[in-house]
Amino acid sequence: MAESGAISASRRLLQRLRDLMASTGDVQERLDQVVRLIAGNMVAEVCSVYVMRAGEVLELFASEGLKAEAVHLTRLQIGEGIVGDIAARARPLALSDAQSHPNFAYRPETGEEVYQSLMGVPILRGGRVMGVLVIQNRTRRAYTEEEVETLQTIAMVLAELVAGGELVSPDELGPGGAHPLSPMRLTGVAFNQGLAIGRAVMHQPRAVAHRLVAEDAEIELERFGSALEGMHTAIDDLIAATDIAQPGEHREVLETFRLIAEDRGWIGRIREAIRGGLTAEAAVQRVQDDTRARMGQISDPYLKERLADFEDLTNRLLLHLIGENGENVGLERDLPDDIVLVSRAMGPAELLDYDRNRLRAVLLEEGAIHSHVSIVARALDIPLIGRVSGALDRIEAGDTVIVDGDNATAFIRPGEDVQAAFAQSMAAAARRREAYAALRDEPAVTRDGVAISLNINAGLLVDVQHLDDTGAEGVGLYRTEIPFMVRPSFPNVDDQVEIYERALEVAGTRPVVFRTLDVGGDKILPYVAAPPSAQEEENPAMGWRAIRIALDRPAILRQQLRAMIRAGHGRELHVMFPMVAEVAEFDTAKEMVTRELERAGTGRKTQPSAVKVGVMLEVPSLLFQLPALLQRADFVSIGSNDLMQFLFAADRGNPRIAERYDVLSPPVLSLLGDLAAKCRTAGVPLTLCGEMGGRPLEAMALIGVGIRRFSMAPASLGPVKAMLLSLDVGELQSYMSQLTDSAAHSLRPKLRFFAKDHGVVI
Ligand code: PEP
Ligand code: MG
């Protein structure tokens, strides 16, 4: 194939550059030769390299053309002068009249006043600015697009020398180019609390090309072609595999992916870079650096998504080129014993791919958190912070990270002082845990003899195992969707029987309350067909979810009930339905239980000794049908997480309003007090299984309004027990009776005051 002289010249230059860089000898001398070589090839009077040093400073490290005394003397802040500007924006600049540029900063020691035009490009590695490469010309020169590209390619090769640690100590090189390797604090939104320390593991490791300069462009073009083909096939296979699931969100994402993968501009630019002398992997990376620089400034969420798609695609392609036949090398890595997982987004199944004995915490960059990931994090009792913007850019694999889930803060590469403070908090937490463990066998009875039933929420077998170490009475909420979410396909009746049997086995004689599937909205099972409109739901929490799906697709619920009945043979079975909005829905669902029991009765298997059918109170409309409901339900469980969001019309996942309304407020407490009284009169057991019940002060107030049974995350049981052992319910009730007509925004300060005054441990 015929090629232009410029292309073969670029290739020759890259090869010479590589050889120069690889040669032995003084690194400064090599760098001096490098700038001389570039200046000659680019027909420029000046070629300079600025390297990023600690403290956001760009230092002139070598120059052909500028005064020698300026080398290692001239320093520019990020954003200062044209060079600083290039670093700040991570974008190339080509100026035929640099001195009239508003950012021009004249440094007398360089003698650069005689040079009119300037072209500079960032020295990027893995998307990070490591320095700036500049050429200058005495006369006005209009640099071409092609020349800019050539200089970018050279800068990429040069990045290896900078990253090699010979020029500046590796300690100074670090993420973001912003104060490299310095400690850093990142904040987000806490989805599960707790404190942990560990080493960063990138969920999807970023592939980095190390062989940059090619021997033979034809071979590289072929490698690129077959990697592209391999990737296309992999995506097609994925699409084909999801065909059975009908068009759904998953499929659409993949289709978009394929469209991008076929983007001619993108492919063309990569091929061009290969022809210019780069290896296939270096070319893919180079184009990605460029795309990132172009799109990085954009705030439009749609375009940001596209950038993320390109990042994913690049990574896949790089793994095809560097990894073994494109196999995901992700999980076969040597992982540390204390993993702080860092990812853009993640599903619960992916989280469970990791050894849970090593998992310490999770940081997610993505805005929307798959709610089941946080449930899994809760089940594993590890802190999870979401919406940590910049996490992927600023954290490097292997970095020490302290995750403070209580304050939604992550400390990256913490200094000794922070680590020491952290160690103290950890020790205190461990002491508290020991103290709680000592309470395990104490009966959960208040000082004035009121018995409180404490149960745990579960979804994984590990949770059920916590029955023993917490001393809980039973499982008050078994979220059946969790085992569904962590499987690659829909479990059939036999599989489900096994899941429920194992939970019942571990629980032994202690009761387990199974909640039927609560999926839909944001809790999509990847293998279940969503209706075409489901993904467009504007308010998924108020959309087609839970009992609504179960009643519209009765086969799923029937199978689930069948499996529960089979698993519960010979013992009392507890089933409850989520998100019921009206008694008629409960009736229909309960009717299905009756029918499944009848069906099971015709078989030979033993039946459950009794079946109790309950309802979750999560939708406020149901509160206005209490008399009818309490005649029908065997038990009621308050899902306060959902009930509060619907009561206050405040999205439970929206951090902006997370603090706006308080659960310890007059409307909530009077509503729950009223509900508790009515359930007691009707003789219907009432439990509260939302998060608020797991917080000591909240639990105290709930006991005050008459709630006697709770179900909570296993880790919350100790603190709540410690609280109730120190509580006198009579005193609390008389105190709270004075607050009934309060018009305050929150009763929290008063309740806290009561606790302090009466020695209640909160
Ligand atoms: C709730 O809504 O309070 C509840 C326990 O259910 P989930 O958190 O699973 O929606
Ligand atoms: Mg709920």
Side-chain angles (χ1 to χ4, degrees):
M1 187 176 42
E3 60 181 21
S4 76
I7 283 177
S8 56
S10 147
R11 211 148 64 211
R12 271 198 308 279
L13 170 63
L14 287 191
Q15 283 170 357
R16 283 187 60 195
L17 207 58
R18 174 198 56 190
D19 295 343
L20 238 178
M21 277 168 44
S23 67
T24 48
D26 182 61
V27 66
Q28 181 68 51
E29 261 169 41
R30 272 183 280 154
L31 193 62
D32 292 342
Q33 283 176 308
V34 163
V35 288
R36 210 167 303 137
L37 177 69
I38 299 171
N41 269 271
M42 302 292 296
V43 199
E45 282 94 32
V46 176
C47 174
S48 312
V49 174
Y50 293 82
V51 175
M52 182 81 85
R53 305 215 59 165
E56 304 205 321
V57 172
L58 290 155
E59 179 177 316
L60 180 63
F61 252 71
S63 182
E64 167 73 9
L66 295 187
K67 286 185 186 156
E69 54 267 34
V71 172
H72 296 299
L73 180 71
T74 297
R75 288 181 156 213
L76 294 155
Q77 298 292 324
I78 295 271
E80 183 189 357
I82 296 171
V83 171
D85 192 56
I86 293 166
R89 295 167 191 254
R91 294 189 63 164
L93 256 185
L95 306 166
S96 58
D97 183 7
Q99 300 189 12
S100 67
H101 190 273
N103 262 0
F104 184 78
Y106 172 60
R107 287 300 171 88
E109 72 272 13
T110 61
E112 63 186 334
E113 64 278 12
V114 295
Y115 303 107
Q116 275 236 313
S117 20
L118 177 151
M119 165 165 74
V121 298
I123 300 175
L124 294 167
R125 193 162 185 276
R128 292 173 187 145
V129 178
M130 317 280 298
V132 176
L133 174 64
V134 177
I135 60 169
Q136 286 171 279
N137 281 78
R138 207 177 279 273
T139 54
R140 263 179 191 247
R141 173 170 168 189
Y143 301 101
T144 66
E145 186 86 4
E146 205 173 284
E147 284 167 332
V148 176
E149 299 242 329
T150 305
L151 200 65
Q152 279 179 291
T153 303
I154 294 170
M156 183 179 186
V157 176
L158 206 55
E160 286 300 289
L161 189 67
V162 180
E166 281 180 280
L167 290 173
V168 289
S169 125
D171 288 350
E172 280 192 48
L173 303 169
H179 207 161
L181 277 191
S182 57
M184 182 177 291
R185 239 184 86 201
L186 295 176
T187 54
V189 177
F191 285 85
N192 197 37
Q193 306 194 323
L195 211 53
I197 185 167
R199 266 166 300 154
V201 167
M202 312 318 267
H203 175 52
Q204 280 154 330
R206 200 181 244 180
V208 178
H210 287 293
R211 202 174 58 91
L212 302 179
V213 181
E215 295 298 333
D216 185 336
E218 286 308 314
I219 293 178
E220 295 303 317
L221 283 169
E222 255 171 51
R223 284 184 67 226
F224 174 64
S226 58
L228 199 58
E229 218 178 279
M231 194 185 66
H232 280 169
T233 315
I235 296 176
D236 284 347
D237 287 351
L238 273 177
I239 293 176
T242 39
D243 259 354
I244 22 156
Q246 298 163 19
E249 186 183 28
H250 204 60
R251 169 139 186 213
E252 233 172 60
V253 169
L254 291 169
E255 297 273 14
T256 319
F257 232 55
R258 182 164 60 184
L259 280 182
I260 295 174
E262 283 165 3
D263 183 300
R264 285 184 180 283
W266 183 64
I267 294 172
R269 274 162 48 222
I270 295 172
R271 289 218 165 100
E272 191 62 26
I274 295 176
R275 286 197 198 96
L278 291 180
T279 59
E281 52 267 40
V284 171
Q285 204 165 298
R286 160 80 180 74
V287 168
Q288 184 55 19
D289 283 343
D290 204 26
T291 311
R292 205 181 286 144
R294 278 173 215 237
M295 296 175 78
Q297 326 272 330
I298 297 169
S299 57
D300 180 278
Y302 174 80
L303 289 177
K304 270 214 176 309
E305 267 298 300
R306 298 288 74 76
L307 176 61
D309 287 344
F310 271 111
E311 298 269 5
D312 273 3
L313 218 53
T314 302
N315 219 42
R316 276 166 191 254
L317 208 46
L318 284 174
L319 288 171
H320 270 266
L321 288 163
I322 308 168
E324 290 158 10
N325 304 323
E327 270 176 34
N328 195 326
V329 285
L331 294 177
E332 293 141 34
R333 293 168 285 161
D334 262 347
L335 296 176
D337 285 336
D338 46 357
I339 300 172
V340 173
L341 204 56
V342 183
S343 182
R344 186 149 63 81
M346 171 174 274
E350 290 171 286
L351 184 55
L352 286 172
D353 273 344
Y354 291 85
D355 178 355
R356 54 185 78 137
N357 294 321
R358 297 200 206 174
L359 216 48
R360 297 285 179 272
V362 182
L363 298 178
L364 299 180
E365 194 169 286
E366 194 93 311
I369 291 277
H370 201 298
S371 54
H372 279 84
V373 180
S374 55
I375 290 171
V376 172
R378 219 167 290 149
L380 301 178
D381 196 16
I382 54 172
L384 165 68
I385 307 182
R387 302 197 178 107
V388 187
S389 70
L392 290 180
D393 257 353
R394 290 167 188 278
I395 305 175
E396 297 235 301
D399 278 351
T400 298
V401 181
I402 291 176
V403 180
D404 174 357
D406 301 346
N407 296 304
T409 304
F411 299 90
I412 324 297
R413 299 175 293 273
E416 273 173 21
D417 47 342
V418 176
Q419 291 210 35
F422 167 79
Q424 265 183 9
S425 309
M426 281 291 272
R431 279 196 299 277
R432 276 198 302 275
R433 265 201 304 278
E434 270 169 35
Y436 297 143
L439 299 179
R440 198 190 71 155
D441 298 322
E442 293 259 328
V445 178
T446 63
R447 268 177 39 215
D448 53 343
V450 179
I452 308 292
S453 169
L454 298 181
N455 301 270
I456 55 168
N457 295 343
L460 299 165
L461 216 53
V462 281
D463 294 325
V464 186
Q465 281 154 358
H466 286 308
L467 276 173
D468 285 335
D469 47 68
T470 55
E473 277 185 25
V475 176
L477 164 66
Y478 183 94
R479 292 176 162 112
T480 57
E481 62 274 10
I482 311 275
F484 279 67
M485 313 264 338
V486 300
R487 272 180 173 63
S489 61
F490 203 93
N492 61 25
V493 176
D494 289 342
D495 295 339
Q496 289 188 48
V497 171
E498 208 187 308
I499 297 169
Y500 307 142
E501 260 178 354
R502 288 208 342 244
L504 288 169
E505 238 167 66
V506 175
T509 54
R510 292 161 292 200
V512 176
V513 179
F514 289 108
R515 173 175 80 182
T516 61
L517 275 185
D518 184 0
V519 292
D522 64 332
K523 306 169 179 180
I524 301 272
L525 297 179
Y527 43 84
V528 172
S533 61
Q535 53 199 281
E536 291 141 30
E537 287 190 348
E538 278 195 21
N539 294 302
M542 295 196 272
W544 199 59
R545 60 175 281 204
I547 191 82
R548 301 167 186 182
I549 298 184
L551 296 179
D552 291 354
R553 298 275 186 279
I556 299 178
L557 182 58
R558 267 206 301 272
Q559 286 184 13
Q560 209 184 7
L561 294 171
R562 200 169 300 163
M564 287 174 183
I565 289 167
R566 266 174 57 190
H569 59 88
R571 58 185 288 168
E572 201 171 75
L573 177 69
H574 302 259
V575 179
M576 70 177 172
F577 298 108
M579 288 294 292
V580 173
E582 52 172 10
V583 167
E585 281 176 343
F586 180 68
D587 280 345
T588 312
K590 197 174 169 181
E591 182 61 26
M592 285 167 74
V593 180
T594 312
R595 234 175 304 144
E596 281 311 313
L597 276 169
E598 282 166 7
R599 188 179 177 279
T602 60
R604 269 166 293 148
K605 290 240 166 67
T606 30
Q607 296 237 29
S609 58
V611 179
K612 303 281 183 205
V613 185
V615 64
M616 281 191 79
L617 230 167
E618 301 183 279
V619 185
S621 55
L622 204 53
L623 288 166
F624 300 90
Q625 277 191 302
L626 279 183
L629 185 75
L630 296 179
Q631 274 171 23
R632 294 158 158 86
D634 294 323
F635 61 92
V636 173
S637 195
I638 305 163
S640 55
N641 305 343
D642 276 312
L643 183 60
M644 293 307 134
Q645 79 165 336
F646 297 130
L647 204 60
F648 286 115
D651 183 349
R652 74 193 238 189
N654 184 343
R656 262 204 187 154
I657 49 168
E659 311 266 299
R660 187 161 189 107
Y661 304 103
D662 196 349
V663 290
L664 293 183
S665 57
V668 175
L669 293 176
S670 82
L671 179 157
L672 295 181
D674 195 38
L675 178 64
K678 286 184 172 142
C679 287
R680 182 162 311 173
T681 308
V684 177
L686 175 70
T687 308
L688 186 137
C689 64
E691 303 307 322
M692 71 180 284
R695 294 192 285 267
L697 186 68
E698 276 85 339
M700 181 191 88
L702 292 168
I703 292 173
V705 300
I707 291 173
R708 296 290 176 264
R709 184 188 287 266
F710 296 89
S711 192
M712 60 190 70
S716 304
L717 211 119
V720 169
K721 199 172 194 179
M723 177 281 295
L724 72 88
L725 291 177
S726 59
L727 175 70
D728 186 310
V729 182
E731 279 173 7
L732 174 65
Q733 273 170 341
S734 74
Y735 179 76
M736 285 182 74
S737 66
Q738 304 159 25
L739 306 175
T740 37
D741 290 330
S742 165
H745 160 71
S746 167
L747 299 177
R748 189 174 293 273
K750 288 208 158 70
L751 289 162
R752 205 177 269 138
F753 176 75
F754 171 88
K756 193 157 181 267
D757 216 30
H758 292 76
V760 184
V761 182
I762 50 166

